[in-house]
Amino acid sequence: MDLVSALARARTAEEPGPDTPAGPAVPDWPGPARTVPPAGPGRLDLDRLLRLSLAAADPSGRLRPAPSAGALHPVDARLAVGAGCSLPPGTYGYDPLRHRVHHLGPAPHDVPPGVTVELTVTARRTASHYGHRAWPLLLLDTGHAAAALRLAARALGTAPAVARLDGTTEHPLAAVHIPSAAPGPRPPEPEAPAPAELLARRSAPPPLTGTPARDDLHAVLATAREAGPGQLRWCVAVGGPRPELVEASPDGTLRRLASGEARPTLAAWAAGQGWIAGAGAVLLAYGCPSDAGPPRIRRDHLHAGHAVGCALLTAARRGLAARPVGSWQRADLGAALGGPPAQNWIVHGLALGSGRPEKRTS
């Protein structure tokens, strides 16, 4: 698969064709399904980790802690389990619909203590609805799954999880390592999410009305910038009486990139989703130039999905309604801001609303 050509085509105005069958919702892992046992003292609790990150909460498989374009959930997880976990060391395929694992073989010889979750995709699931627009969405969904795993590890109080989102490999696209429990108590992390927060996360349905307060926007923007490092740039299109495009400044405030109303243009660029024109604000990740090679394409999209996945939690804690926006066509934000064309395309977005009606001025 030529990822460069796939992304170039996904960015055009070409419409996807009719829906096709999505196929099985989980891989056909070999062998019998096993339950994930609860953890004993000093063991990493894989049962809770997976329930807080990847497991489906309903029989249809739509509702999960990690969002997905069209609720199609193409991301598959393979577990390389080392010492110190609630499962014996080995390699396992995970079934998120039944919350079961299938033993695939021994653990890799170099697997560290804890679990490494390797993330791959079944492209057919997303392509069944989005057609040629699927590949950017597949990468973004993988980034969201990585964020869900890291947030779940924080909720469980493990040592910091490490995500590999460098884009250098296709199989797996990404991996997250969660260390096994260290001896002795760990000091609580002040900003760690509670398990209930992760299970309650849902993408808000449109409309997302009301312009969020500037300190709320700065908090969401700061989370995204920290979680999505590298070559991505971040800004927010703000509605309200004085619409503008803003970015974070070094002094902890928001500074103006451009004045004027951007949301109708964003709605047109986002596959014609007209409701975006009325959203209170839209967080945007942009970069990934047209001449980027496959590693850069994978890296930028994985980081963008991971960052928006983390920003969703910040938005929820601030009482904001939020909905990821992954499909973007002709969205050359850099050129719209006066820069050279084809260098800074919108990669991902997060529509935000305060839940309160806009204040109208005469």
Side-chain angles (χ1 to χ4, degrees):
M1 195 276 302
D2 182 352
L3 185 57
V4 175
S5 298
L7 179 60
R9 186 181 177 195
R11 286 172 169 169
T12 69
E14 179 186 352
E15 294 287 340
D19 284 2
T20 58
V26 296
D28 184 17
W29 300 114
R34 304 183 181 188
T35 59
V36 185
R43 301 275 174 173
L44 175 61
D45 193 339
L46 297 181
D47 174 59
R48 294 186 69 203
L49 176 77
L50 294 168
R51 287 189 185 278
L52 294 176
S53 57
L54 302 179
D58 66 317
S60 74
R62 291 177 61 89
L63 299 179
R64 310 193 199 189
S68 170
L72 292 164
H73 296 287
V75 181
D76 301 319
R78 182 183 172 109
L79 315 179
V81 178
C85 295
S86 55
L87 279 169
T91 303
Y92 300 83
Y94 179 57
D95 180 344
L97 301 188
R98 300 168 185 83
H99 188 55
R100 297 288 187 270
V101 294
H102 295 251
H103 185 247
L104 305 179
H109 72 277
D110 57 350
V111 65
V115 63
T116 300
V117 184
E118 298 179 345
L119 301 174
T120 60
V121 293
T122 299
R124 176 183 177 182
R125 291 183 211 143
T126 299
S128 69
H129 180 65
Y130 293 98
H132 67 277
R133 294 177 178 172
W135 263 102
L137 301 172
L138 291 162
L139 293 168
L140 295 173
D141 276 9
T142 305
H144 276 279
L149 285 160
R150 294 190 75 188
L151 291 170
R154 290 178 60 197
L156 295 179
T158 72
V162 178
R164 183 183 63 72
L165 306 171
D166 56 23
T168 57
T169 63
E170 293 183 67
H171 304 287
L173 284 170
V176 181
H177 176 68
I178 298 99
S180 58
R186 284 183 57 82
E189 183 188 344
E191 297 299 320
E197 288 183 282
L198 301 184
L199 294 175
R201 289 192 309 162
R202 294 287 179 267
S203 296
L208 278 64
T209 58
T211 303
R214 292 182 77 85
D215 59 339
D216 291 336
L217 291 176
H218 187 276
V220 173
L221 183 55
T223 296
R225 288 183 64 195
E226 181 179 352
Q231 294 167 290
L232 289 173
R233 300 177 65 184
W234 295 88
C235 66
V236 180
V238 185
R242 292 181 296 278
E244 58 184 344
L245 207 65
V246 297
E247 63 180 0
S249 62
D251 64 1
T253 61
L254 297 176
R255 66 184 176 194
R256 178 178 294 170
L257 268 177
S259 60
E261 181 59 89
R263 293 173 300 166
T265 299
L266 296 177
W269 284 349
Q273 298 181 74
W275 62 269
I276 293 174
V282 186
L283 172 73
L284 300 168
Y286 59 111
C288 200
S290 293
D291 60 359
R296 170 76 185 271
I297 292 171
R298 288 191 288 264
R299 181 169 64 251
D300 281 1
H301 285 78
L302 291 169
H303 276 297
H306 176 265
V308 169
C310 294
L312 270 167
L313 178 62
T314 298
R317 287 181 159 183
R318 295 265 173 166
L320 304 179
R323 185 177 186 84
V325 183
S327 191
W328 296 92
Q329 286 74 51
R330 299 171 294 174
D332 192 347
L333 181 61
L337 292 173
Q343 294 301 299
N344 282 290
W345 297 90
I346 295 177
V347 176
H348 202 7
L350 182 67
L352 300 163
S354 69
R356 298 182 295 273
E358 298 274 9
K359 292 183 178 179
R360 300 189 179 276
T361 58
S362 56

